[in-house]
Amino acid sequence: MTGTGLVIAQRKVGGKTNEITVFRPMLAPLDLTDIVVTFDALHSQTAHARFLVEEKQAHCIAVIKGNQPLLHQYLKQLAWREVPLMDKTRATAHGRDEIRRVKTATVTRGLGFPHAVQAVQIVRRRRVIATGKVTLERVYAVTDLAAEHAEAREIAHRVREHWGIENKIHHVRDTTFAEDASHVRTGTAPRAMAALRNLAIGALRLTGCGNIAAGLRKHSRDATRPLTTLGIT
């Protein structure tokens, strides 16, 4: 998904494999020169990083969790107390008040992750407004973007925007299109339907539509409107 919420590639994950195996085949046809690619911690693999930076001439921000235990422990043990706070944001949404504090540090050795030159610490403090319950989470990441090319604010923004795929794509497909309730399960039909749903979402977004459900209702009232939106006249 692009930062504007457009799906530009999808790939079926077979029942006997996992998402890691389709990472490279899905991205290989795309022009990613100078594009910053973010992904779930599952894909924070050294081979993926080399592929993006060396072959695709892209950049990456890799969130590091338990699947990279040595690197995760190394990042946790960095002298973060001595690093000044570089960015702080606050947002209230979905019944939660969240404060994010971000620190970045240039690391010349010890990371052991291809092309990584900056370490990132994001501290999230969430408070459930209704109950007052507070949770604290520390997230670590590495990136090949040097400090002079991407400051802490930009990196934090990109990490936060990565989760937009849940709201902009998965949530819309599930609630507006009732994808999970679909009985289309035979052959390539589920993949084709997913592509059509992505097409509809993308076409509406390109017209500036922020509410996909409202956009669908508007188009359903005029049989010619979908053709006009798709540029078919």
Side-chain angles (χ1 to χ4, degrees):
M1 185 191 78
T2 67
T4 56
L6 303 178
V7 175
I8 57 172
Q10 68 175 27
R11 189 91 175 186
K12 179 181 178 181
V13 180
K16 296 183 179 180
T17 183
N18 58 48
E19 293 179 18
I20 294 176
T21 61
V22 301
F23 183 94
R24 180 167 178 154
M26 185 182 72
L27 298 181
L30 304 180
D31 181 4
L32 299 177
T33 304
D34 293 329
I35 298 296
V36 179
V37 181
T38 61
F39 35 80
D40 291 347
L42 173 71
H43 293 293
S44 293
Q45 309 284 331
T46 57
H48 290 352
R50 290 193 181 96
F51 165 68
L52 288 172
V53 177
E54 297 173 12
E55 296 187 37
K56 302 301 294 182
Q57 306 300 306
H59 302 285
C60 65
I61 300 174
V63 173
I64 305 299
K65 292 186 177 180
N67 60 321
Q68 293 280 353
L70 295 179
L71 178 55
H72 186 252
Q73 187 64 24
Y74 179 85
L75 292 172
K76 287 176 63 177
Q77 293 176 349
L78 290 176
W80 291 110
R81 290 176 180 267
E82 300 175 14
V83 178
L85 181 65
M86 298 178 179
D87 186 51
K88 178 181 177 180
T89 59
R90 185 170 189 168
T92 301
H94 308 295
R96 297 184 304 183
D97 179 50
E98 181 172 291
I99 298 174
R100 307 179 190 91
R101 296 178 174 88
V102 184
K103 295 181 178 181
T104 60
T106 298
V107 182
T108 57
R109 61 180 180 177
L111 287 178
F113 196 84
H115 305 286
V117 294
Q118 275 201 97
V120 184
Q121 182 197 63
I122 302 174
V123 180
R124 298 170 177 159
R125 181 185 182 275
R126 296 190 181 99
R127 180 177 65 88
V128 179
I129 298 174
T131 64
K133 181 181 179 181
V134 175
T135 58
L136 198 68
E137 178 187 22
R138 286 180 172 82
V139 177
Y140 298 94
V142 295
T143 177
D144 70 305
L145 292 163
E148 59 268 25
H149 297 144
E151 59 183 15
R153 181 184 296 272
E154 178 185 348
I155 293 174
H157 173 74
R158 291 185 182 277
V159 171
R160 186 167 64 252
E161 285 294 295
H162 170 77
W163 298 110
I165 194 170
E166 295 296 332
N167 295 324
K168 294 179 179 178
I169 301 298
H170 297 308
H171 180 72
V172 173
R173 279 171 39 175
D174 184 26
T175 59
T176 304
F177 291 93
E179 184 173 62
D180 285 352
S182 173
H183 293 287
V184 178
R185 303 188 181 117
T186 305
T188 60
R191 183 169 46 177
M193 290 303 299
L196 290 171
R197 294 181 188 110
N198 289 336
L199 172 63
I201 294 170
L204 290 173
R205 288 228 167 93
L206 288 173
T207 67
C209 178
N211 187 315
I212 301 301
L216 290 175
R217 288 193 296 269
K218 177 181 177 181
H219 281 68
S220 68
R221 292 192 289 266
D222 185 339
T224 64
R225 195 168 285 156
L227 298 177
T228 302
T229 297
L230 292 171
I232 302 173
T233 58

